[in-house]
Amino acid sequence: MTAGCRRHVVEAVYQDDTLRPSSPAFATPLKEHALVTATTLEPTSRPTDPIGRQAHKARQLLTASTKHSYDPELDIDWTAPLTPGKWFLPEHRCTLFGTDLWNRLTMEQKLAVSREEMASSMALGVWTEHMLLQLVARYVYDRDIATPAVQFALTEVADEVRHMIMFANVVESIGATTYAVPWKVRESGRLLKTAFPVQGLWALILLTEEIFDRIQREIAADESAQPVIRAMSRIHVVEEARHISFARAELDTFVPSLNKAELAGLRTVLALTMYTFGQELFNPEMYRRAGLDPRAARKAAMSNPANKATFAWAAKRVVTHYREIGLIGGSSEKIWRAGGFL
């Protein structure tokens, strides 16, 4: 994308949510961005062998990257003021929504909670991108850099570096400060990124990417959300659609090659990771920064049935896919259910 074609994404939202043809991140509906990773971009027949299909998919995604990539430093107007009364996270996705505690809060307090929950989620987003960088470094190390799969994997690195900086800028722009990743997530990631099989890491990354993607699609279309949050979500959805498509193609090739013990082990790790991930979304620090009693707020959030409904909704697409390819089943299903994702 040339500099002359760029327009501020946030500016498009401020103009009564007008989707200008000249504003790249708003020019194409999200459904069309999703289709660009699934339709044939080249006038060639689809290969039937797994390696050929993956190379074909990588070439498609490289083409899509040249047409739908953004630089948040230029495409988001970071100087635009926040809109009074708009949410940072949709109200019904706030972890306390519907509880007695939530109903006692003032509107100002509720907005503060949504701001801190968004800032806390950005920390988990950065952790996910860190994991992907480690994964790609291992993935490309012994592979031919001339192949489409390796070149697209390196394109992902460029995307994720921009996303990490974008997340940090979002936190600053909404008047929050950065969060540390919860200890359990950080330490488990330290082990997984170095010792876990590369193909298994694709499965772990796909979990978090799919869940973030579903929530951000909702935010991007939500007129009650802050424009800067909508702009960030829109950019992330467009670019992550390619990453999700590539990870799915890798897994579709890899999972059938697993023996029974390997499949059971991968199922268990994925289920435990999701369970831990879900528990750490109730970070007591975000409630403290919003001016609430962190213990009381976390207790209320963890017992809130609305959160299990949100978890199941957010994970629906990846759960369906993982069932289809055999990554959910046996004893691992009980862990998924205990975490609220089924």
Side-chain angles (χ1 to χ4, degrees), residues 10-32:
V10 171
E11 180 185 1
V13 184
Y14 271 102
Q15 303 267 344
D16 297 322
D17 294 328
T18 300
L19 308 187
R20 294 183 179 181
S22 58
S23 297
F26 281 84
T28 307
L30 287 178
K31 287 184 179 179
E32 293 183 33

Side-chain angles (χ1 to χ4, degrees), residues 264-294:
L266 182 54
R267 283 175 170 178
T268 299
V269 170
L270 292 174
L272 289 173
T273 299
M274 282 307 294
Y275 183 85
T276 301
F277 183 82
Q279 295 298 300
E280 296 304 330
L281 289 175
F282 306 108
N283 185 350
E285 178 63 15
M286 65 188 184
Y287 304 122
R288 186 192 68 77
R289 293 189 189 183
L292 306 181
D293 180 330

Side-chain angles (χ1 to χ4, degrees), residues 5 29 54 77-78 99 104 107 123 134 136 159 168 173 176 187-188 217 221 224 227 254 295-296 299 340:
C5 294
Q54 180 63 328
D77 183 2
W78 298 107
T99 64
R104 293 196 300 269
M107 184 62 178
Q134 297 284 338
V136 173
D159 290 344
S173 71
E187 294 307 312
S188 63
R217 283 176 183 270
S224 71
F254 163 67
R295 281 191 174 186
K299 182 178 179 181

Side-chain angles (χ1 to χ4, degrees), residues 194-209:
T194 55
F196 205 61
V198 169
Q199 292 87 345
L201 283 173
W202 283 120
L204 289 173
I205 293 300
L206 186 59
L207 285 178
T208 53
E209 296 284 20

Side-chain angles (χ1 to χ4, degrees), residues 232-253:
M232 175 269 294
S233 298
R234 191 87 184 204
I235 289 174
H236 200 240
V237 162
V238 170
E239 297 188 335
E240 290 299 326
R242 301 191 291 268
H243 305 176
I244 289 170
S245 183
F246 188 73
R248 282 185 172 223
E250 283 286 332
L251 289 178
D252 290 346
T253 301

Side-chain angles (χ1 to χ4, degrees), residues 37 61-62 64-72 125 129-130 132-133 136 151-167 209 235-244 246:
T37 65
L61 297 176
L62 282 168
S65 296
T66 64
K67 297 180 178 180
H68 301 290
S69 291
Y70 309 101
D71 183 348
E129 314 293 27
H130 265 137
L132 193 140
L133 294 181
V136 173
Q151 290 183 4
F152 179 73
L154 293 173
T155 301
E156 279 201 42
V157 170
D159 290 344
E160 302 301 5
V161 169
R162 292 194 305 273
H163 294 169
M164 292 167 73
I165 297 172
M166 176 173 69
F167 292 162
E209 296 284 20
I235 289 174
H236 200 240
V237 162
V238 170
E239 297 188 335
E240 290 299 326
R242 301 191 291 268
H243 305 176
I244 289 170
F246 188 73

